[in-house]
Amino acid sequence: MNRPLLHTAEELHGLPRAGRRAVVMTMGALHEGHATLIRTAREQAGPGGQVVVTVFVNPLQFGANEDLDRYPRTLDADLRIAEGAGADAVFAPAVDEVYPGGDPQVRISAGPMGERLEGATRPGHFDGMLTVVAKLLHLTRPDLALFGQKDAQQLALIRRMVTDLNFPVEVVGVPTVREEDGLALSSRNRYLSPVERHTALALSRALFAGQDRLAAQAALRARAEASPASDERATALARLGEIRASADAHAVSAAGGGLPDAVRAAALHVLEEAGRHEPPLVLDYLALVDPQDFTEAGPGFTGQAVLAVAAKVGATRLIDNIPLEFGAHS
């Protein structure tokens, strides 16, 4: 790599600063999703700015039975990808450089949001993640920090930490990058055998099924908006030959205010089918949540939401999500 490769905080602090600095934090094993983050950072920093990529496999965010030792370390390939995407420097410290006294006694607490979904499945994960993000923000001192929306709960918690603790940095979320078959790009995808990958495609299919259900219901409501929603009035419409309006009115009446439940049900149907595949998909959670605090969206929910899923296929655990927008009549 022709760009600087830095291993110590001293080297990092000695890096000449030019314009706005953008940082992309990774655990290595870079792929096109990371490259997209780096290219976006390059655009955001501008031609006179600077992009720093960090490569650090953080032991604090791995549980006792998780894949810390198995996690791929591919620094040489990472350097090529980072440089090709526009990084000006890569900071790849050793564990004892980031945690010189061993595991830190003082850590960032993720609070109640950090105990939901991923936090419930992986206790302490988000505390470890926020602790290393806070340290790397202090070490890199960026104006911008870019994170992928694929890790939606992580992104929400980082934004909350930055706001609550007054970090002088702008957090930028970058949309999920998917492979041609729809699977969200992840360093863990390389663990999947061909048959496991086929089963794993159910994650993205389920999310898009939920998205399609939301779009279909929005179209249904638009068609039925001028039609009465009661079964009695819908039957009257049918007698007058207004079959389409009658059907729409019946459907709107039956749906009531439970569109979030309908979205969940559409996604769950795909996941339950994948649970009967060989190998099966083992569902951890499917949730439709408010991105502000990751609490479940209720029947009358309006505004932005995140439909999130986590599951295991074989020995590999995968997560995915998509953003959704619920209107006032959802």
Side-chain angles (χ1 to χ4, degrees), residues 9 12-13 17 21 23 25 54 91 108 130-142 161 165-169:
L12 180 62
H13 293 156
R17 193 173 186 122
R21 177 179 286 179
V23 66
M25 298 182 191
T54 69
F91 178 51
I108 301 290
L130 289 178
T131 298
V132 80
V133 169
K135 293 203 70 163
L136 290 172
L137 286 174
H138 287 312
L139 287 167
T140 58
R141 294 176 290 187
M161 177 183 74
L165 301 184
N166 299 101
F167 278 77
V169 63

Side-chain angles (χ1 to χ4, degrees), residues 177-179 181-185 189 192 197 200-201 204 318 320:
V177 178
R178 297 185 180 278
E179 301 193 41
D181 58 9
L183 191 66
L185 280 172
N189 289 353
L192 297 169
R197 184 186 177 92
L201 294 177
S204 57
L318 301 169
D320 200 354

Side-chain angles (χ1 to χ4, degrees), residues 28-92:
L30 301 191
H31 50 63
E32 180 56 28
H34 297 108
T36 298
L37 283 168
I38 297 166
R39 286 193 292 268
T40 305
R42 178 78 276 155
E43 294 169 5
Q44 296 265 337
Q50 186 178 67
V51 176
V52 176
V53 174
T54 69
V55 175
F56 179 66
V57 181
N58 178 34
L60 295 191
Q61 63 195 75
F62 286 81
N65 299 315
E66 294 184 335
D67 55 358
L68 173 61
D69 293 334
R70 186 181 175 217
Y71 197 88
R73 274 82 164 172
T74 57
L75 183 58
D76 289 342
D78 295 343
L79 297 176
R80 291 192 293 272
I81 291 173
E83 182 175 26
D88 295 300
V90 171
F91 178 51

Side-chain angles (χ1 to χ4, degrees), residues 210-222:
Q211 183 182 59
D212 289 347
R213 181 69 182 87
L214 177 60
Q217 187 72 5
L220 173 66
R221 286 189 179 278

Side-chain angles (χ1 to χ4, degrees), residues 88-179:
D88 295 300
V90 171
F91 178 51
V95 172
D96 58 4
E97 180 69 24
V98 177
Y99 304 120
D103 285 356
Q105 296 184 42
V106 176
R107 307 187 187 196
I108 301 290
S109 170
M113 194 194 329
E115 298 171 358
R116 299 171 186 138
L117 299 188
E118 284 297 291
T121 300
R122 306 174 67 189
H125 166 72
F126 285 125
D127 291 357
M129 179 276 295
L130 289 178
T131 298
V132 80
V133 169
K135 293 203 70 163
L136 290 172
L137 286 174
H138 287 312
L139 287 167
T140 58
R141 294 176 290 187
D143 301 290
L144 306 166
L146 291 88
F147 299 90
Q149 292 178 359
K150 174 180 164 292
D151 296 296
Q153 193 172 3
Q154 169 180 285
L155 175 59
L157 281 162
I158 291 169
R159 283 181 164 148
R160 186 77 263 168
M161 177 183 74
V162 164
T163 297
D164 288 352
L165 301 184
N166 299 101
F167 278 77
V169 63
E170 178 186 350
V171 176
V172 178
V174 178
T176 300
V177 178
R178 297 185 180 278
E179 301 193 41

